[in-house]
């Protein structure tokens, strides 16, 4: 592309490990805070599946920017925990720096659990059971890579 005089903008796989990767989820944290205030409810925890780490990093940065105590727990999309925890911490603080904010996330705020030791993309029986439960009781279709693992937790 460059040889053709173009200027490619490279976004890494997952889009997370990038200076702009967590910004969308900073806005998501803001929307959660705004909507919960409008509805008169308080969410003390956000539970989601974490893979390339941008979602969790952005949510943590967003809640830190708002000085909110909302916990963000990531359920690993594979058996990895330590590597993801380090990446979430680095990306969350890089996102806050990108926004020009003085707030920083401490390692104690980064919570990641492993619900399924299976490799990425391989669903265990527990994950498939969670997917079936959602489908049969709620009429919701959950995928076995992200929602299924989070639900199995």
């Amino acid at each position: 592309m460059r040889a053709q005089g173009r200027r490619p903008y490279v976004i890494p796989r997952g889009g997370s490990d990038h200076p702009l990767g967590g910004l969308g989820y900073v806005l998501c944290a803001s929307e959660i805070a705004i909507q919960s205030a409008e509805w008169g409810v308080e969410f003390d925890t956000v539970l989601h599946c974490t893979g390339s780490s941008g979602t969790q990093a952005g949510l943590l940065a967003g809640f830190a920017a708002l000085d909110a105590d909302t916990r963000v727990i990531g359920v690993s999309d594979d058996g990895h925990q330590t590597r993801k925890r380090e990446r979430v911490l680095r990306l969350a603080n890089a996102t806050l720096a990108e926004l020009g904010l003085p707030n920083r996330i401490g390692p104690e705020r980064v919570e990641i659990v492993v619900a399924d030791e299976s490799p990425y993309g391989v669903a265990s029986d527990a994950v498939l059971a969670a997917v079936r439960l959602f489908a049969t009781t709620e009429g919701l279709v959950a995928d076995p890579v992200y929602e299924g693992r989070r639900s199995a937790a």
Side-chain angles (χ1 to χ4, degrees), residues 39-56:
W39 299 341
V41 297
E42 185 175 330
F43 297 107
D44 58 358
T45 304
V46 174
L47 179 69
H48 72 98
C49 186
T50 194
S52 58
S53 305
T55 301
Q56 189 166 6

Side-chain angles (χ1 to χ4, degrees), residues 18-73:
H18 183 277
L20 306 178
L23 295 180
Y25 285 98
V26 168
L27 291 176
C28 179
S30 175
E31 288 178 18
I32 291 170
I34 290 167
Q35 290 176 12
S36 65
E38 288 173 353
W39 299 341
V41 297
E42 185 175 330
F43 297 107
D44 58 358
T45 304
V46 174
L47 179 69
H48 72 98
C49 186
T50 194
S52 58
S53 305
T55 301
Q56 189 166 6
L59 287 170
L60 282 167
F63 289 126
L66 296 168
D67 291 321
D69 292 327
T70 308
R71 287 175 65 193
V72 179
I73 301 173

